[in-house]
Amino acid sequence: MRKMCLNLFIQGKGHHEASWRHPKASPLALTDIEYYKTLAQKAEAGLLHSIFLADAVALWDDIDKAPHNWLEPLTTLGALSQVTERIGLIATASTTYTAPYNLARYFASLDHISQGRVGWNIVTTWSADAAGNFGEQTQVSHADRYARAEDFMEAVCKLWDSWAEDAILDDRAGGIYADAARITPPNHAGPYYSVKGALNMPRGPQGRPVFVQAGSSPTGRNFAARFAEIIFTAHLVKETAQEFYSDVKGQAKQYGRSEDQVNILPGLGPIIGSTEEEAQKIAKELDDLADIEVGRKRLSARFGGHDFSNLPLDTPLSASDFPDVSTVQAARSRAELIVRAVEKDSLTLRQLLQKLAGARGHGTFVGTPEQLADYMEDWFSSGAADGFNLMPPVLPWMLDVLIEELLPILQKRNLFRTAHEGDTLKSALHLDRSVRSAKGDEQ
Ligand SMILES: Cc1cc2nc3c(=O)[nH]c(=O)nc-3n(C[C@H](O)[C@H](O)[C@H](O)COP(=O)(O)O)c2cc1C
């Protein structure tokens, strides 16, 4: 029977914008590896499939009022791989601001170190502020970021495939360590990247990391349909998630991929209490701690720095209060999601920012564990999700509640596994080990 794939998205002190101010948020610093060790071990003990660390290669401009993840994800997961044994380790890395050869060796190293548990969240980096940190005068356009990502994927795939599985002979008697003929230099010469030599290490246990992607614009969807084995996506309502699901799975099929090789995990930030009242009370506590100006700054970032400072707080908004989404060079699908939500519910700015404070445009839920299980089962069984990207509003408190209260219900309903499976992340997700060329054809 099909079961849910559940990932833990570790971000700051939790996904609610004001999580760090809540008395139950972890007292540990976000630079303290113990904070992440605790979360990783809890997630592993809870039988979650993977943990994920996002990354931004620029300092957010709301630093005065909000902490963010500081530690670089791959470095952090290197440490966590030594205090865990089974859980998948997914790190973000940018195709726009990393050299293919370096990225290939970082992930191959972690695949070896973690014995096959690594995943790569492939991002093009929508943040406009990042450009200046890498010698770019202006933000790289949405179209150009994805065009570069295409070439980048071709280069890194050739690097991960440059060593055959059996290239190492380790023939100590004969004095032959490796069969050089089984190591193929990429000699990649693309429109953006050229990479000559083979990777400087043998193939990792998974061959290539599990490919994760999180762009939902038409370009992003097409990219995901060709490459992604896990897709993170943001949806406030089931209907848009269903449309996304059938579109992307349909495109993947057109590329000759089978639907079970693509796991679509909408983000979900649940607040649960033993009663609905208790859950509502927690939600209000958090919303009351949220700072409108932090929300306004984050909204501006989503629209590439657009100035929303003159918008009144309590007047219903309309699409005309926002830049034309097709011109947004930042996170295009998120901008679209926000304008759609404004139009659908005639939200005021205050209402919009409160809605986004919960999980930045991902789904949120407030209720009892049983009600949450119903909500998740509904999306899972009606073509909207293969599982969820869990975004606990306050960490580790709400992760503990999910593991203790929700997961046993899902297991009782035979919707979630009761033991870890497989010896690599790929095998745990029942993913093929066969490789596909960057153009999507089988090899
Ligand atoms: C769950 C999730 C995690 C993401 N993590 C990152 C990240 O770590 N770093 C980043 O620059 N962008 C991240 N993104 C943004 C996406 O990579 C992408 O830029 C964004 O969804 C807009 O894509 P689009 O323009 O194709 O719609 C994430 C998005 C989602 C939904």
Side-chain angles (χ1 to χ4, degrees):
M1 181 173 165
R2 186 170 158 257
K3 291 198 172 48
M4 289 184 190
C5 171
L6 295 179
N7 172 73
L8 170 65
F9 183 174
I10 298 175
Q11 176 106 343
K13 295 287 178 78
H15 286 269
H16 191 285
E17 191 185 280
S19 56
W20 67 283
R21 302 183 65 191
H22 194 280
K24 289 207 174 167
S26 168
L28 298 176
L30 287 170
T31 46
D32 185 340
I33 194 63
E34 290 308 319
Y35 173 66
Y36 301 95
K37 281 186 188 173
T38 310
L39 293 172
Q41 290 169 330
K42 283 174 187 283
E44 179 163 84
L47 301 176
L48 299 186
H49 289 79
S50 51
I51 58 173
F52 161 60
L53 291 176
D55 193 34
V57 285
L59 184 60
W60 298 87
D61 65 357
D62 58 7
I63 177 59
D64 55 333
K65 297 215 174 147
H68 292 266
N69 282 9
W70 307 132
L71 302 177
E72 191 281 321
L74 281 154
T75 316
T76 310
L77 293 178
L80 300 184
S81 72
Q82 299 311 295
V83 294
T84 56
E85 289 173 6
R86 308 299 299 275
I87 197 154
L89 307 165
I90 302 175
T92 284
S94 175
T95 54
T96 305
Y97 301 119
T98 322
Y101 200 90
N102 280 334
L103 187 139
R105 52 200 290 267
Y106 299 156
F107 279 92
S109 299
L110 189 54
D111 202 35
H112 283 293
I113 293 167
S114 70
Q115 295 172 338
R117 295 188 280 139
V118 77
W120 170 31
N121 178 35
I122 309 163
V123 306
T124 66
T125 307
W126 60 267
S127 150
D129 297 339
N133 298 341
F134 295 87
E136 301 270 2
Q137 298 314 311
T138 56
Q139 177 175 27
V140 182
S141 77
H142 189 267
D144 204 31
R145 291 200 309 271
Y146 274 106
R148 290 187 190 195
E150 295 280 342
D151 191 22
F152 194 103
M153 291 307 289
E154 197 158 337
V156 283
C157 287
K158 288 176 182 170
L159 282 163
W160 283 313
D161 302 345
S162 56
W163 288 63
E165 298 261 17
D166 56 2
I168 296 198
L169 304 175
D170 200 10
D171 172 5
R172 298 171 195 205
I176 311 291
Y177 178 71
D179 177 355
R182 306 288 287 144
I183 303 171
T184 316
N187 289 319
H188 174 78
Y192 296 95
Y193 302 102
S194 71
V195 179
K196 207 167 171 343
L199 193 62
N200 65 344
M201 78 182 74
R203 198 180 182 81
Q206 299 186 107
R208 297 172 179 179
V210 169
F211 288 162
V212 182
Q213 194 270 5
S216 301
S217 61
T219 325
R221 290 176 181 211
N222 181 270
F223 187 97
R226 272 176 298 123
F227 296 109
E229 292 159 312
I230 294 178
I231 301 175
F232 295 149
T233 183
H235 295 276
L236 289 168
V237 293
K238 187 174 78 174
E239 291 66 33
T240 63
Q242 288 172 317
E243 184 276 328
F244 177 87
Y245 190 100
S246 65
D247 175 39
V248 173
K249 295 251 182 176
Q251 290 193 48
K253 268 172 86 177
Q254 281 164 15
Y255 287 108
R257 302 182 65 196
S258 64
E259 294 193 18
D260 64 358
Q261 295 299 298
V262 182
N263 294 280
I264 296 180
L265 310 185
L268 179 58
I271 293 178
I272 48 178
S274 45
T275 65
E276 230 175 296
E277 294 65 42
E278 189 196 316
Q280 293 294 358
K281 185 169 155 290
I282 299 168
K284 183 166 182 333
E285 272 170 22
L286 280 165
D287 289 344
D288 289 350
L289 290 169
D291 182 313
I292 287 270
E293 290 322 312
V294 170
R296 209 194 283 258
K297 275 191 179 166
R298 291 189 179 180
L299 184 67
S300 167
R302 292 278 178 205
F303 286 84
H306 182 82
D307 181 2
F308 291 105
S309 58
N310 301 322
L311 275 187
L313 275 173
D314 297 306
T315 310
L317 298 173
S318 70
S320 60
D321 292 309
F322 296 85
D324 170 357
V325 168
S326 66
T327 65
V328 170
Q329 299 305 324
R332 193 163 287 172
S333 55
R334 200 65 56 89
E336 197 180 333
L337 175 152
I338 290 168
V339 174
R340 202 184 311 124
V342 161
E343 287 188 308
K344 178 169 166 286
D345 304 328
S346 308
L347 300 173
T348 65
L349 182 60
R350 190 186 303 276
Q351 291 165 335
L352 172 64
L353 296 180
Q354 189 168 13
K355 191 183 265 294
L356 296 176
R360 304 182 304 284
H362 293 265
T364 56
F365 177 89
V366 179
T368 66
E370 281 291 338
Q371 290 170 332
L372 177 58
D374 294 346
Y375 175 96
M376 293 169 76
E377 183 168 2
D378 175 35
W379 283 48
F380 181 66
S381 55
S382 56
D386 294 311
F388 294 87
N389 186 16
L390 296 175
M391 303 169 65
V394 179
L395 285 169
W397 173 34
M398 293 243 161
L399 173 63
D400 295 336
V401 176
L402 285 173
I403 290 173
E404 287 150 23
E405 312 270 348
L406 171 75
L407 299 189
I409 299 171
L410 295 178
Q411 287 162 332
K412 213 151 132 243
R413 296 183 187 186
N414 209 14
L415 292 169
F416 185 57
R417 62 188 188 173
T418 53
H420 280 287
E421 307 149 279
D423 50 10
T424 65
L425 178 56
K426 269 193 183 172
S427 56
L429 296 171
H430 313 290
L431 296 170
D432 296 349
R433 260 184 57 54
S434 60
V435 294
R436 310 178 61 85
S437 79
K439 290 206 168 26
D441 47 20
E442 195 79 37
Q443 285 192 341

